[in-house]
Amino acid sequence: MRIDLRIRALLLAAGVVAGCASQPPAPELRGTGDLGVVIARASGKIAVVDTSHRTVLGEVSGLGDLSHASVVFARDGRFAFVFGRDGALTRVDLLARRITHRVQQAGNSIGGAISQDGRIVVAQNYEPGGIRAFDADTLAPLAEVPSTYGAEGKRSKVVGLADLPGNRFAYALFDAGEIWVTDLSDPKTPRTEKYAAGLQPYDGLVTPDGRYYLAGLFGEDGLALLDLWQPEKGVRKVLRDWGRGDEKLPVYKMPHLRGWAMADGYLWLPAIGRHQVWVVDTRSWQQVAQIPVAGQPVFVMARPDGRQIWVNFAFPDNGKVQVIDSLSRSVVKSLEPGRAVLHLEFLPRGGEVWLSARDDNRVSVINTERFDTLASFSIDAPSGIFFTTRAARIGF
């Protein structure tokens, strides 16, 4: 009997050892609130970064065409959903740094959004036009809303997709000149309301409280404004002088409205084709100031406390970054952090900003009070920078 017990113990111990050997290594036990990703567009990779220690934790490859790629995050910040220009949608586990799911959902896509409850991921598509919704856990298809318009039944390119309270999504139809709001509370039966917007809406944003959706118009001056608390009033045009004016100006890169800047009760907008940032009172939707800057603005983004507005520019001034003080409404700092600065992202409390310099293959971390460089990393042709804190914000 004593011998049998010893043999059984040895067998159990061997089984435990064998079982341990067959298990993959467990992810590091850690939180996700200080993680983020940097798009390495030329190589189809993302770099997973740790903002607390200013380090690159690793890379995830196999993500396809990442030109104009964008990212949204699961509510817990563990999973990143990467929208590739080639129409692929990829779910990445940031802790394990591996792809969990991937679907080829369209032929040409420029971004997406995630629902308020975190269960639905939506892609906006150029080809075929429309939006498509997917289960956030499995990327199984849930719904499609084709952007069909006109008597011939053509499909429009979709731009400016933004999540809204109530598992709804607002977006603009570039070719149709409309804004649509789709309720995906029940993905089996999407409900869409349509509003005339104007000529060629090219991007859109939703205000931080989720009340207003604005679409920039490339085909005419002004912005299309939809009050989502009172949608029955329809779209109204605001800032009719905002745009290229009577003399059509060359545009080297379209401004990006998604990096909205709301600060001190004002909206800060990149003027189309002009070397200006416009300041707009959000109570009257009237322009109150024009601020001269170093080039054609692309991103105009407020530091989270609203005291500073950071601006990057289109070619040939895309090596410059300027900082505007929101009280004095003047440029207080000009920086040149590298060649082709494509994107910038603030830490959630604003102490640091991370900037990508594509042509120098470098990401820099800059202190927003002293403007000194705290760290820099080598990343192959970096473009978009996205931190997991976006998971808790409307419209990101």
Side-chain angles (χ1 to χ4, degrees), residues 265-281:
Y266 298 93
L267 177 66
W268 305 68
L269 285 173
I272 296 179
R274 306 183 187 188
H275 293 196
Q276 295 174 346
V277 170
W278 281 30
V279 186
V280 178
D281 189 330

Side-chain angles (χ1 to χ4, degrees), residues 6-311:
R6 291 169 61 184
I7 292 174
R8 287 178 62 189
L10 288 171
L11 289 173
L12 284 171
V16 169
V17 172
C20 291
S22 63
Q23 295 297 318
E28 177 190 1
L29 185 61
R30 60 158 299 157
T32 58
D34 59 355
L35 297 184
V37 303
V38 180
I39 302 293
R41 58 189 296 168
S43 55
K45 299 178 181 177
I46 60 170
V48 179
V49 298
D50 173 340
T51 60
S52 292
H53 299 91
R54 303 182 190 124
T55 58
V56 176
L57 298 176
E59 294 181 334
V60 179
S61 59
L63 299 174
D65 182 355
L66 295 186
S67 56
H68 207 286
S70 68
V71 176
V72 298
F73 295 95
R75 293 179 70 182
D76 62 3
R78 176 166 180 173
F79 299 99
F81 299 90
V82 183
F83 302 88
R85 188 59 185 264
D86 54 6
L89 169 60
T90 309
R91 182 177 183 267
V92 177
D93 183 337
L94 298 183
L95 294 183
R97 295 192 284 284
R98 66 180 181 86
I99 294 171
T100 67
H101 300 79
R102 179 173 167 85
V103 294
Q104 187 67 43
Q105 61 86 27
N108 189 337
S109 179
I110 63 161
I114 189 166
S115 61
Q116 183 183 51
D117 65 7
R119 297 181 177 180
I120 305 168
V121 177
V122 178
Q124 62 178 355
N125 294 321
Y126 276 5
E127 180 58 43
I131 62 170
R132 286 177 170 166
F134 301 87
D135 183 288
D137 290 331
T138 64
L139 296 190
L142 297 176
E144 179 177 7
V145 181
S147 54
T148 307
Y149 72 101
E152 298 178 359
K154 294 181 178 178
R155 285 194 181 190
S156 172
K157 299 183 183 69
V158 170
V159 297
L161 178 70
D163 61 281
L164 304 176
N167 293 335
R168 297 175 300 150
F169 296 84
Y171 49 99
L173 279 62
F174 178 84
D175 306 290
E178 295 179 344
I179 293 173
W180 288 11
V181 178
T182 296
D183 186 340
L184 285 170
S185 298
D186 179 2
K188 295 179 180 177
T189 57
R191 292 180 292 118
T192 300
E193 301 291 336
K194 304 175 182 179
Y195 307 89
L199 294 177
Q200 297 178 320
Y202 68 89
D203 198 4
L205 64 86
V206 62
T207 51
D209 58 5
R211 176 167 182 176
Y212 295 104
Y213 181 81
L214 293 105
L217 301 174
F218 190 66
E220 61 180 293
D221 288 348
L223 287 167
L225 174 68
L226 178 63
D227 184 349
L228 297 161
W229 291 3
Q230 305 176 90
E232 68 280 2
K233 293 185 175 181
V235 169
R236 65 185 174 109
K237 300 285 181 61
V238 298
L239 298 171
R240 290 185 177 276
D241 294 330
W242 185 79
R244 291 184 292 169
D246 295 332
E247 180 185 354
K248 298 302 181 186
L249 302 170
V251 179
Y252 299 111
K253 185 175 177 61
M254 291 299 293
H256 284 50
L257 301 182
R258 184 56 55 88
W260 47 252
M262 296 284 287
D264 194 28
Y266 298 93
L267 177 66
W268 305 68
L269 285 173
I272 296 179
R274 306 183 187 188
H275 293 196
Q276 295 174 346
V277 170
W278 281 30
V279 186
V280 178
D281 189 330
T282 56
R283 288 154 292 196
S284 64
W285 297 103
Q286 298 293 316
Q287 181 209 99
V288 296
Q290 296 178 358
I291 302 171
V293 289
Q296 293 185 9
V298 177
F299 281 104
V300 175
M301 301 183 72
R303 199 173 70 176
D305 65 351
R307 184 59 197 272
Q308 295 177 348
I309 313 297
W310 287 59
V311 188

Side-chain angles (χ1 to χ4, degrees), residues 54 303 308 310 323 332-335 350-353 365-375:
R54 303 182 190 124
R303 199 173 70 176
Q308 295 177 348
W310 287 59
V323 184
V332 295
K333 190 70 177 179
S334 295
L335 305 168
E352 299 174 7
V353 63
V365 182
I366 296 176
N367 181 289
T368 60
E369 288 294 334
R370 303 186 306 268
F371 305 111
D372 56 327
T373 300
L374 302 173

